Amino acid sequence: PAATSSGGTGTQTTSAHVRSSPGRALPDTALVISSYTPTVRALGHSRASRPDTALPASLVVPVPDLPGAELPGVTVETAAIAAMIPGTHVLAQPTRTDVLAALPAYRIVHFSGQGYADWTEPTRSHLILTDHATTPLTVADITALNLDADLAYLSACGTALAPPRLADESFHFTGAFYLAGYRHVVGALWPINDDAAAKFAEDFYSHLTNHGTTPPSSDLAAHALHRATTRLRTQYPMAPTLWAAHTHTGR
């Protein structure tokens, strides 16, 4: 069974999967796997769409080494994804123009680096690419796209964070990618530890690809996120900032 409830950032859809052994809390029982959608209409559209399976599977957009913002975990994260998804294209030294040109050619895109949430003007929130100081890749750029794709994983801080005054409008990168045509989007509510983010992403794609033995199944995205969250929480039960930030938007 499934239920929906409205509130917070958009509409939350909860899938119920019954398992015999009880856990310490509702998510531990696998009874609840949470997903979000900006609107019910957007949810219906994502369920009706069927991305072109002939497209290459995966594009990775890593930014590990901007001056003053070195993120060695980005390199680890990129290598792990490329090892599990053969044919992954890594966009080195990515610019806004490069990314916008590449997005229509891939079913899955993975951003790994940093993001900036502009609470004064949310449409100017941007992902930190190599040319972000002059031509940033903004929320407005993404919402202007009309794609038919599977999954966007935004491994960058604040990609699911909207200004408090627009908390119910999904004015953030996660919502933007979803409305642009990605059936599943993973974002983060706050900055994540570099090492933890890399481990989280590796666990996520391991589930999506059956440990790298099958092509990625984006329909498992919500389950993969739930599993990665649970695994990291087991390691660091008293540090929710490490494992509670990621959200799934989609069906």
Side-chain angles (χ1 to χ4, degrees), residues 53-220:
T53 56
L55 291 176
S58 181
L59 171 72
V60 177
V61 184
V63 186
D65 54 2
L66 289 179
E70 291 79 10
L71 297 171
V74 169
T75 302
V76 175
E77 192 171 305
T78 300
I81 295 168
M84 286 185 279
I85 307 177
T88 292
H89 177 60
V90 178
L91 195 61
Q93 297 298 309
T95 66
R96 173 183 178 272
T97 299
D98 294 336
V99 171
L100 291 176
L103 287 179
Y106 293 88
R107 292 186 289 118
I108 295 173
V109 61
H110 182 97
F111 285 87
S112 185
Q114 297 190 60
Y116 171 74
D118 190 325
W119 281 16
T120 302
E121 182 51 65
T123 58
R124 295 194 302 199
S125 296
H126 55 272
L127 294 171
I128 306 297
L129 303 177
T130 56
D131 60 345
H132 71 97
T134 55
T135 51
L137 179 67
T138 66
V139 164
D141 290 327
I142 300 303
T143 54
L145 299 175
N146 184 16
L147 304 176
D148 199 357
D150 272 336
L151 167 68
Y153 188 123
L154 311 177
S155 186
C157 58
T159 49
L161 181 64
R165 61 188 174 86
L166 297 172
D168 61 345
E169 299 293 337
S170 297
F171 248 113
H172 44 58
F173 265 107
T174 301
F177 272 90
Y178 188 61
L179 294 175
Y182 287 84
R183 293 191 301 149
H184 305 273
V185 187
V186 174
L189 291 166
W190 54 74
I192 306 300
N193 173 273
D194 188 37
D195 292 336
K199 178 59 179 173
F200 194 98
E202 183 177 355
D203 278 347
F204 176 87
Y205 285 100
S206 179
H207 187 70
L208 228 58
T209 64
N210 192 24
H211 307 287
T213 62
T214 63
S217 176
S218 62
D219 284 343
L220 296 176

Side-chain angles (χ1 to χ4, degrees), residues 26-50:
L26 192 59
D28 295 312
T29 67
L31 289 170
V32 173
I33 297 176
S34 293
S35 298
Y36 298 84
T37 182
T39 66
V40 173
R41 179 177 294 181
L43 180 64
H45 175 73
S46 73
R47 288 183 169 181
S49 66
R50 289 292 181 269

